[in-house]
Amino acid sequence: MRRYLLPEYIVERDDLKCTRCKICVEQCTYGVHNYNAIKNMIESRSELCVDCLRCVLFCPVNAITVRRNPNVYKENYHWTYEFITSIKRQADTGSALLSGMGCDKQNLTYWDKLLLNACQVTNPPIDPIREPIEIRTYLGGKPKMLEFEFNDEDITLGTKLGPCLCAETPILFAAMSYGALNLNVHEALARAAVDCGTYFNCGEGGLHPSLYKYSDHTIVQVASGRFGVDLKYLSVGAAIEIKIGQGAKPGIGGHLPGEKVSDDIAMVRMIPAGTDAISPAPHHDIYSIEDLRQLIYALKETVEYTKPVAVKIAAVHNSAAIASGIVRAGADIIVLDGVRGATGAAPKAIRDNVGIPIELAVASVDQRLRDEGVRDEVSLIASGGIRSSADVVKAVALGADAVYIGTAALIAMGCTLCQKCYTGKCPWGIATTDPEISKRLNPEDAYKRVVNLVKAWSIEIKEMLGAMGMDAIESLRGNREQLRGVGLTDRELEILGVKMAGE
Ligand code: SF4
Ligand code: SF4
């Protein structure tokens, strides 16, 4: 059947500059570039290009330009290029469309419509270069009040504190599984977590034994497939996270095809090599808050109440009510993953249309838990499309204790957001388990880049706190007075709990 798809990108080469070194041929995992020995020319098949820009960045003479195909369909605000292309692709294949990374729809971002406050005249700012600003964040349940015991000369804490994570920065690395990513990426994230004094979440695919040495900075995940879960796995992590849902595909399970389940991945996931690793949409033993409570306490019991247990849900319409139930089920941390949360593979229809923005979810969950007087019993981690230190600060002001970053960490390593993670051919050696392509990611280099990113954001967070006259991030949590909105409706402002700029 003839295909009627226009190439999305056009690859152009300056033939006078090109030295025929063939680097672009070697670097492209999609087979775009080929060397024609008869003509002594490099030829490109634009229709295969995914705009990963690997060839552009590796060409030693800057001979390659990739640009969007100007031959778009006739302009139509209803039948946009995206809809026409999707229909044609589905007419070609009869398949649901997949996409990698998160939802890319502009109108689902609220961060850019929120502005932060700064001190002027009557309330002095703090200079973070001269004065300490505390961004250390404890994650877990906190007591409502502290009791002290007074002995003759000594004062001791009488209140028994529950287990908490202590992060030196409110930025943690989101769950991304071994299988979706390769071991080089996991190692880079684990080492970065140690260096930054934060935590890396190994995701639902288990934890490779070679990474057990980073376990003090590792959150182990228990998802519906229960891959890699045994006593050692639970005991080795600093915290345990139960994954109920994720923002990129709420209500949807996962599927790692058998051809990607190598011997090593099979060993870590505790499944036979070459078999499909299927994560069911629900946990087959959880159909109520009471069921969830049983699992939370089974896990707590298993690790003798020494580690906090988190529950991760996708941000959906009734997140606030669900979060309220999760607190009562005994979770120490709630992770809210918004509609822009990323994944290696999600049905495009689900990714772009199911779930709600994290900004609205965090604000409504924080408010509900405050109204019910249970906010201090849990910590709240916001996740899903956090792009900058300003997004982190705004998330905290809306009510989060900390954030997870996933995509941002991968971008720091080299990802160019081509959104083709599901092909397993990630040209940057990240979302791939192909042994040859995986070698492209140098874990040493990747680890340093992620550390630099977190350090840079942490400096900026302190600068923004200082500008607001705050010397501790704790003072900002849920402090929506420090936010103002622009371009938002009254109802949106009300849900966010934020005043209009100028008020
Ligand atoms: S990498 Fe650049 S110089 Fe080398 S063959 Fe490709 S276009 Fe030519
Ligand atoms: S991880 Fe790789 S495949 Fe996925 S978006 Fe980034 S560059 Fe593309």
Side-chain angles (χ1 to χ4, degrees), residues 123-351:
N123 45 353
I126 299 170
D127 184 345
I129 296 170
R130 293 184 178 80
E131 294 179 58
I133 293 186
E134 182 65 71
I135 59 168
R136 178 181 287 172
T137 303
Y138 289 92
L139 297 166
K142 319 276 180 356
K144 282 204 165 36
M145 62 169 63
L146 294 177
E147 285 175 5
F148 297 94
E149 285 162 8
F150 298 90
N151 304 320
D152 289 345
E153 290 177 354
D154 212 11
I155 303 174
T156 51
L157 186 63
T159 311
K160 192 171 181 317
L161 300 177
C164 273
L165 295 178
C166 174
E168 297 301 330
T169 176
I171 304 164
L172 291 78
F173 304 132
M176 294 181 278
S177 73
Y178 179 45
L181 306 176
N182 57 62
L183 193 54
N184 284 346
V185 184
H186 260 202
E187 190 184 342
L189 289 169
R191 288 182 63 192
V194 173
D195 256 40
C196 299
T198 185
Y199 296 87
F200 130 84
N201 188 318
C202 71
E204 65 172 303
L207 182 66
H208 196 280
S210 66
L211 303 182
Y212 278 18
K213 56 181 176 279
Y214 307 114
S215 61
D216 286 351
H217 292 267
T218 302
I219 299 170
V220 294
Q221 197 179 59
V222 175
S224 60
R226 308 278 156 95
F227 298 120
V229 177
D230 66 2
L231 179 58
K232 185 151 193 200
Y233 174 73
L234 296 174
S235 307
V236 91
I240 301 168
E241 180 179 282
I242 300 169
K243 174 188 159 190
I244 299 292
Q246 67 182 101
K249 42 182 176 177
I252 294 281
H255 176 200
L256 188 67
E259 60 265 25
K260 291 190 182 174
V261 181
S262 63
D263 288 345
D264 217 31
I265 289 169
M267 178 268 293
V268 173
R269 290 198 175 218
M270 300 177 191
I271 56 172
T275 56
D276 288 7
I278 298 194
S279 307
H283 287 244
H284 288 315
D285 53 355
I286 299 179
Y287 287 90
S288 65
I289 290 293
E290 291 75 17
D291 292 342
L292 176 64
R293 184 178 171 84
Q294 277 199 352
L295 179 59
I296 290 172
Y297 278 91
L299 294 172
K300 288 188 174 192
E301 193 83 18
T302 304
V303 296
E304 296 174 345
Y305 296 85
T306 54
K307 302 165 198 293
V309 173
V311 174
K312 175 180 178 177
I313 56 168
V316 290
H317 300 182
N318 57 343
S319 292
I322 295 167
S324 168
I326 294 172
V327 178
R328 286 162 177 86
D332 304 295
I333 301 167
I334 297 176
V335 181
L336 281 170
D337 196 20
V339 70
R340 291 186 310 274
T343 181
K348 195 168 173 299
I350 298 280
R351 188 200 70 170

Side-chain angles (χ1 to χ4, degrees), residues 65-129:
T65 304
V66 176
R67 62 191 173 93
R68 197 167 268 282
N69 188 352
N71 295 321
V72 288
Y73 303 99
K74 185 178 173 188
E75 187 170 282
N76 187 317
Y77 286 105
H78 185 65
W79 294 98
T80 59
Y81 173 84
E82 185 185 347
F83 285 116
I84 297 174
T85 306
S86 295
I87 289 172
K88 288 189 180 294
R89 194 164 284 145
Q90 291 185 304
D92 275 349
T93 62
S95 306
L97 296 177
L98 284 180
S99 188
M101 287 302 170
C103 169
D104 47 18
K105 301 286 169 281
Q106 185 188 10
N107 57 356
L108 294 176
T109 298
Y110 280 86
W111 298 129
D112 301 331
K113 294 176 178 172
L114 293 169
L115 299 168
L116 291 162
N117 194 22
C119 299
Q120 297 293 294
V121 184
T122 53
N123 45 353
I126 299 170
D127 184 345
I129 296 170

Side-chain angles (χ1 to χ4, degrees), residues 440-461:
R440 293 182 175 197
L441 190 91
N442 177 339
E444 179 72 21
D445 186 56
Y447 134 77
K448 284 182 184 159
R449 287 174 177 279
V450 176
V451 169
N452 282 343
L453 177 75
V454 174
K455 283 191 174 160
W457 282 18
S458 298
I459 293 168
E460 290 176 344
I461 290 169

Side-chain angles (χ1 to χ4, degrees), residues 30 52 101 410 414-421 426-428 430-431:
Y30 295 96
C52 73
M101 287 302 170
L410 300 187
C415 163
T416 47
L417 276 183
C418 71
Q419 300 182 305
K420 293 289 184 286
C421 320
C426 173
W428 295 90
I430 298 169

